[in-house]
């Protein structure tokens, strides 16, 4: 009886935990995809990656959290100074933990990490992918595609318009020095049927406007507007270098680098012979010799 009751409670707890996977409006962060059953591993390694890069690229971000009143260390004994140092370290660790916080979505193959200021998700994720492409080092095992979310709102046309104006303005609506840009819109929907895809695209395209000469170009765009719809939440960001960085897919970036390394080892573009002449030059000389032979 006791065992059955425990199992029943465990099942209810598990069900309740899964049902809590909603993203609130005004949330910034990043979605990450992974293979089925690898969500926990993806969540853990992504948290580590984000925290590491935050410490590297935002070394002084803790100052914005709010400092306690500084006191002269000479007034404290050695023991008090040690306690104060430990308390300071504990505070910094707690602040870093709250800067990145995972939200369990209860959805297979999908992970979400909430990101707080001063980190800006779109630029932060682009920089992570750029570094992965340049360093050719694999820093994650389970994480695949990353989708940054600058802001998010509840799923409705009115809220979508507000979101679009807020996210698009820094990229498309600068009053001074705004250049005409080519853009595209990519909409992804998961467990979402509140708004139709075509309605989302038309609404956002209207918000981009044509007053600055912006045009739609689905292949050679300057900026890509990412729209991620999950349950009753719509998130948006504007990114660049999306295609060169393999659509922000860390796994594909690594695989591309592996293929390029293998190709450079197996088929070098220019190899030298024993006389120090390149094969390309040698082939040219051979062609000229052949022409001379024909003439003779």
């Amino acid at each position: 009886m006791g065992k059955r009751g425990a199992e029943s409670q465990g099942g209810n707890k598990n069900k309740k935990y899964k049902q809590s996977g909603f993203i609130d409006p005004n949330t910034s962060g990043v979605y990450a995809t992974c293979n089925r059953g690898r969500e926990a591993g993806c969540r853990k390694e992504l948290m580590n990656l984000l925290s590491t890069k935050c410490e590297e690229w935002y070394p002084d971000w803790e100052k914005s959290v709010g400092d306690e009143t500084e006191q002269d260390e000479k007034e404290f004994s050695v023991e008090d100074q040690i306690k104060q140092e430990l308390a300071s370290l504990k505070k910094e660790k707690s602040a870093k933990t709250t800067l990145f916080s995972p939200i369990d979505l209860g959805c297979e193959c999908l992970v979400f990490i909430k990101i707080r200021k001063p980190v800006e998700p779109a630029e932060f994720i682009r920089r992570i992918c750029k570094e992965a492409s340049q360093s050719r080092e694999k820093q994650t095992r389970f994480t695949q595609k990353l989708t940054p979310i600058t802001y998010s709102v509840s799923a409705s046309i009115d809220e979508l318009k507000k979101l679009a104006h807020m996210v698009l303005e820094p990229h498309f609506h600068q009053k001074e020095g705004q250049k005409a840009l080519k853009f595209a819109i990519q909409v992804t929907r998961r467990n979402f049927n509140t708004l139709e895809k075509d309605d989302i695209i038309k609404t956002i395209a209207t918000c981009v406007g044509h007053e600055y000469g912006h045009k739609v170009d689905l292949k050679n765009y300057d900026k890509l507007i990412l729209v991620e719809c999950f349950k009753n939440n719509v998130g948006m960001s504007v990114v660049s270098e999306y295609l060169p960085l393999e659509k922000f897919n860390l796994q594909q970036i690594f695989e591309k680098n592996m293929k390029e390394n293998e190709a450079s080892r197996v088929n070098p573009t220019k190899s030298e012979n024993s006389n120090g002449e390149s094969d390309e030059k040698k082939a040219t000389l051979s062609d000229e010799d052949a022409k001379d032979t024909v003439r003779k």
Side-chain angles (χ1 to χ4, degrees):
M1 185 73 176
K3 183 178 179 181
R4 182 179 300 176
E7 289 176 353
S8 177
Q9 289 180 355
N12 290 336
K13 287 183 179 179
N14 191 33
K15 185 176 180 181
K16 182 179 180 181
Y17 178 67
K18 288 184 177 180
Q19 288 179 342
S20 64
F22 290 90
I23 299 176
D24 295 327
N26 303 321
T27 298
S28 302
V30 56
Y31 285 95
T33 61
C34 62
N35 290 329
R36 182 178 299 176
R38 301 297 187 181
E39 293 84 5
C42 172
R43 187 181 299 112
K44 182 178 180 180
E45 68 181 12
L46 186 56
M47 284 285 291
N48 291 335
L49 177 62
L50 297 178
S51 299
T52 299
K53 295 307 174 185
C54 180
E55 293 178 2
E56 181 180 345
W57 297 335
Y58 298 85
D60 300 325
W61 74 267
E62 293 93 341
K63 294 180 181 179
S64 63
V65 176
D67 299 326
E68 294 180 353
T69 305
E70 295 183 0
Q71 298 183 13
D72 189 353
E73 292 184 356
K74 295 180 180 179
E75 298 179 0
F76 295 95
S77 65
V78 176
E79 184 178 356
D80 290 337
Q81 290 180 26
I82 293 174
K83 289 181 179 179
Q84 187 183 27
E85 239 177 88
L86 291 174
S88 177
L89 291 173
K90 185 176 181 181
K91 179 185 175 183
E92 289 182 6
K93 184 177 180 182
S94 175
K96 290 173 183 176
T97 302
T98 55
L99 187 62
F100 303 103
S101 53
I103 297 178
D104 181 58
L105 302 178
C107 180
E108 291 183 337
C109 308
L110 190 66
V111 168
F112 185 82
I113 305 296
K114 184 176 181 179
I115 299 178
R116 294 176 175 83
K117 294 182 179 180
V119 178
E120 200 286 309
E123 176 58 23
F124 193 57
I125 297 304
R126 185 202 66 82
R127 194 172 177 183
I128 287 176
C129 295
K130 185 80 171 180
E131 184 182 76
S133 178
Q134 293 175 342
S135 67
R136 298 176 180 268
E137 294 180 359
K138 186 173 175 61
Q139 299 183 353
T140 56
R141 182 180 177 187
F142 308 114
T143 306
Q144 297 177 350
K145 185 177 181 180
L146 301 176
T147 303
I149 297 300
T150 302
Y151 294 109
S152 63
V153 295
S154 299
S156 71
I157 291 295
D158 290 338
E159 290 297 314
L160 180 61
K161 290 179 180 179
K162 295 178 183 178
L163 175 66
H165 286 297
M166 185 165 44
V167 175
L168 300 179
E169 183 176 359
H171 302 275
F172 297 97
H173 302 153
Q174 292 297 316
K175 294 181 180 179
E176 297 181 2
Q178 177 65 63
K179 297 180 180 179
L181 298 172
K182 294 178 291 184
F183 71 94
I185 303 171
Q186 177 178 297
V187 179
T188 303
R189 303 192 305 167
R190 293 185 177 90
N191 299 335
F192 183 93
N193 56 10
T194 308
L195 300 174
E196 295 296 330
K197 183 176 180 179
D198 289 344
D199 293 337
I200 295 173
I201 293 175
K202 290 178 182 178
T203 300
I204 296 173
T206 302
C207 293
V208 173
H210 301 286
E211 59 269 24
Y212 295 101
H214 304 313
K215 296 181 180 179
V216 176
D217 192 325
L218 302 181
K219 294 183 178 180
N220 300 313
Y221 48 79
D222 301 308
K223 299 284 186 177
L224 177 65
I225 303 171
L226 294 175
V227 184
E228 193 77 17
C229 306
F230 180 77
K231 293 186 178 179
N232 197 41
N233 184 274
V234 179
M236 186 186 301
S237 65
V238 179
V239 299
S240 56
E241 296 187 272
Y242 190 68
L243 293 179
L245 294 176
E246 302 299 316
K247 300 181 179 180
F248 293 177
N249 191 313
L250 294 178
Q251 181 62 31
Q252 290 185 6
I253 290 174
F254 176 73
E255 291 175 357
K256 179 182 178 181
N257 289 337
M258 289 291 292
K259 290 179 181 178
E260 290 178 353
N261 291 338
E262 185 177 354
S264 63
R265 289 195 302 267
V266 177
N267 298 314
T269 55
K270 292 183 180 180
S271 60
E272 294 185 350
N273 57 26
S274 57
N275 296 326
E277 296 179 338
S278 67
D279 289 342
E280 183 179 353
K281 184 177 180 181
K282 184 178 179 181
T284 303
L285 292 175
S286 299
D287 291 341
E288 291 178 354
D289 293 340
K291 290 178 181 179
D292 292 339
T293 303
V294 173
R295 289 173 187 152
K296 293 178 181 179

